[in-house]
Each structure stands twice: as structure tokens, then as C-alpha cells.
Amino acid sequence: MSTAVAQPNIALIKYWGKVDEALIIPATDSVSLTLDGFPTTTTVTLTDDPIDVAVLNGVTLQTGELGRITRVLDRVRDLSGIRSSVAVESTNTIPTAAGLASSAAGFAALAKAASAAFGLDLADREVSRLARIGSGSASRSVFGGMVRWNRGNSDETSYAEPLEWNGPELMMVIAQVSTARKTISSREGMTRTVNTSPFYDGWVSSNQQLVGRALQAAANGDEETLGALTELSAMRMHASMLGAEPPIRYLTSESFALIDAVAQLRADGLTAYTTADAGPNIKILTTSTAGAAVVDELTQRFPTLSLLTSTLGQGVYLHQERTPQ
Ligand code: PMV
């Protein structure tokens, strides 16, 4: 039995679109920040049962929902040569509808806990590859701080790795715009964009260039450039979806009101830049120095808005070493 803990990440330079849907090989690299908080804790126990069982926040997953979990477990069984079924128990503390992908932390924790439970001592890079086949963004939650996912062109070459950030301490503010459930999953949204959006090729080539510029900004510790690139990547990602047939639009008028408000804060001298994923919630990149003022200003403008803050956190870790059966 092994237990692992992982935290969500938010992409600054986004991932949107796969070149290989089965292996989850992305079309572009991406760059993210792993948060400090909202952990997912996952325990994997080897069993004598004929099938795998998974319980998420106390609810047993049905056969269809188990698919992605089983893919990760099958890979671990192949690597270890042990054919046991397992019981997976996972709890996450991500506030409901906060717009944070729980799958990123969930699959990072699953990859780490399952590999340890089967007696494998995998390097972080191998854990990242394993997490990736459950959910692409999970490859990044294996590492702490600022992280790059190398798209690669095969299972072996598509993995995340930590990046050095030489600037001031960064902070994310998460603004919960809506509690409505998202209508189109990121998986479905990506496939539709790849297959039908005439803007997709432009998104892919321009985003890969943004990765290169973001790496330079990270090396220079230049948060202003990093922030500007963050906004560009999000806007271009959402633009690629708007061109899909039928169009995919996650951002609402409230999302844009927040994007405008943050632009105003920036004009007033605060370090603050927006990004958004497959939903209407807005995430704001800021610094620990500016973070409190950003929260104060947004609370004044949007008194009912729920705001969460986080600095950068660590990558996945084992909570409890393997215990003899
Ligand atoms: O790996 P998924 O299915 O969680 O996709 C993540 C997609 C975005 O959150 C929209 C962007 C990203 O890079 O995290």
C-alpha cells in the first residue's frame, strides 16, 4: 500500500491539442506553476480482487469512469510484472467549481502511489510520463515550482521537468466566476479544435514560439514579460476554440469583466496578468509583493467574488512509504 500527495498546476503557456490521443502527446510544449495547496491524496492498495476499484471523495467510480485510471495501472503492471488488481482511494480538497483541474493533481498522485505500491522506484521523469497517460496536465504536477512539459514525439520523450525561475516570488489568485459545471470537457474541446478549427495550426506554431520566449523570461526573472506571454497564450488558445465547429466558448461576460479589471490594475502599476482554462474562471498571475493589493482591489470591484490565493508548491511526494503486506 502506498499513499501519495500532489497539488494542482496552472499553465501559463497552455497545452491545447494532441498529436497522439492514446498516448497524450501534445502539439506544443507548455509551462506551468504548481500551486501550494488544494492537495489530492491517493492511496493504492494491491488486492486479490479480479478487478480494480476506485473511490473518489467517497464515491465509487463506475466502469466507464475507471478507463483512464486503468490505463495508468496497466502500465504500472506491465513495468513491474505484477498482475494484481488494486483499490484506489483518492480525496481532493479542491473547492468545488474553483476552476482548478483536479485531474492534474489526481493523476500525478495516482502515478506516484501506484508505482510505489507495485515496488517500482521510478525517477520523477518516469512518474511524469506515467501521469501523462492519465491526464496531460498531470505530467506537470509531478514537479514543484515552475515546470515545462516537453511535448516530445513519443511516450519516452514527452515528459515534464522543473524550470529555474530567477525572479520574485510568484503568486496565483484564482477568481471563481461561475459555479456552473463546464459543458465541454478539455478532452472533447481539444479534439473538436484539432479537427475543425482553421485557427488550430496558427495556435500551435505561435504557442511553441511563446514557450521559447517564456523560457527566456524565466531565465531573466522577468515577471512582466512572463505575464504578457501568459495572457497571449491564453487568448490564442481560446481564439483557436472560437474557430471550432460548433464554436467552443468557455469565457463569459464576467470573465471578460475580470480580464478588463486586471488590465486596469496593471495600468495602475500592479503586477497582474490573467489566464483561463477550460471554464469561465480567471486565474491571475501576480507576485507575493503585489498579491494582497490585487485581492483588495478586486474585492472592492467585485464584492461577491470568491478569491483564492496560492504561492508555488512542491511536486508529488509519497506520504507513507511502502509497508510490508
Ligand atoms: O490535461 P487536461 O485534460 O487537464 O487539459 C488541460 C488543458 C488546459 O487546462 C486548458 C490547459 C493546460 O495547459 O493546463
Side-chain angles (χ1 to χ4, degrees):
M1 175 207 254
S2 289
T3 299
V5 182
Q7 308 183 101
N9 71 77
I10 293 174
L12 306 180
I13 309 298
K14 302 293 186 189
Y15 145 55
W16 192 257
K18 304 172 180 72
V19 295
D20 185 322
E21 294 221 359
L23 287 172
I24 310 194
I25 309 296
T28 72
D29 292 23
S30 50
V31 175
S32 61
L33 301 178
T34 299
L35 300 183
D36 185 20
F38 325 115
T40 292
T41 304
T42 300
T43 300
V44 174
T45 310
L46 273 59
T47 68
D48 296 328
D49 291 349
I51 55 162
D52 296 323
V53 177
V55 177
L56 178 59
N57 287 340
V59 178
T60 304
L61 299 184
Q62 300 304 310
T63 323
E65 300 169 316
L66 271 179
R68 291 199 282 165
I69 293 176
T70 306
R71 275 156 45 106
V72 174
L73 295 172
D74 282 345
R75 177 68 67 93
V76 175
R77 282 187 274 259
D78 288 347
L79 288 170
S80 67
I82 300 170
R83 304 312 314 172
S84 283
S85 294
V86 300
V88 177
E89 175 143 19
S90 187
T91 49
N92 67 49
T93 53
I94 297 177
T96 317
L100 289 171
S102 55
S103 65
F107 279 101
L110 177 71
K112 183 79 177 173
S115 53
F118 279 81
L120 295 168
D121 185 16
L122 299 184
D124 288 344
R125 180 176 291 187
E126 312 310 318
V127 177
S128 176
R129 286 172 48 201
L130 197 53
R132 191 201 75 235
I133 61 174
S135 170
S137 56
S139 65
R140 299 186 307 235
S141 272
V142 169
F143 299 97
M146 189 176 289
V147 178
R148 172 191 191 178
W149 175 11
N150 299 292
R151 61 180 163 171
N153 54 17
S154 62
D155 175 52
E156 290 74 23
T157 54
S158 188
Y159 52 79
E161 61 190 0
L163 276 181
E164 203 173 319
W165 164 245
N166 293 320
E169 191 181 25
L170 297 175
M171 180 179 264
M172 295 298 304
V173 178
I174 298 144
Q176 187 180 313
V177 170
S178 161
T179 53
R181 272 179 64 83
K182 74 176 164 191
T183 46
I184 304 167
S185 69
S186 50
R187 181 164 296 232
E188 198 186 328
M190 285 183 206
T191 305
R192 192 190 299 173
T193 307
V194 173
N195 292 337
T196 68
S197 176
F199 308 149
Y200 181 67
D201 290 345
W203 149 251
V204 170
S205 57
S206 65
N207 198 56
Q208 194 60 25
Q209 289 170 13
L210 295 187
V211 171
R213 291 167 64 189
L215 296 180
Q216 193 58 57
N220 295 342
D222 177 353
E223 73 278 16
E224 305 294 335
T225 300
L226 184 71
L229 297 170
T230 295
E231 292 209 332
L232 258 182
S233 182
M235 282 299 139
R236 288 179 178 170
M237 178 183 78
H238 286 277
S240 77
M241 300 179 209
L242 287 172
E245 184 177 345
I248 301 162
R249 189 171 65 89
Y250 290 115
L251 300 175
T252 63
S253 52
E254 289 88 353
S255 314
F256 282 106
L258 262 162
I259 291 170
D260 287 346
V262 170
Q264 187 58 53
L265 298 187
R266 198 160 61 236
D268 295 343
L270 283 175
T271 301
Y273 297 88
T274 51
T275 186
D277 295 297
N281 297 316
I282 297 297
K283 292 112 184 201
I284 300 147
L285 173 67
T286 182
T287 60
S288 294
T289 318
V294 169
V295 169
D296 279 356
E297 292 290 338
L298 290 178
T299 305
Q300 278 177 35
R301 288 169 170 78
F302 304 90
T304 59
L305 186 68
S306 146
L307 294 167
L308 303 166
T309 59
S310 177
T311 50
L312 306 200
Q314 64 177 313
V316 69
Y317 59 93
L318 284 179
H319 183 62
Q320 174 190 315
E321 289 303 324
R322 210 157 68 91
T323 47
Q325 301 272 318

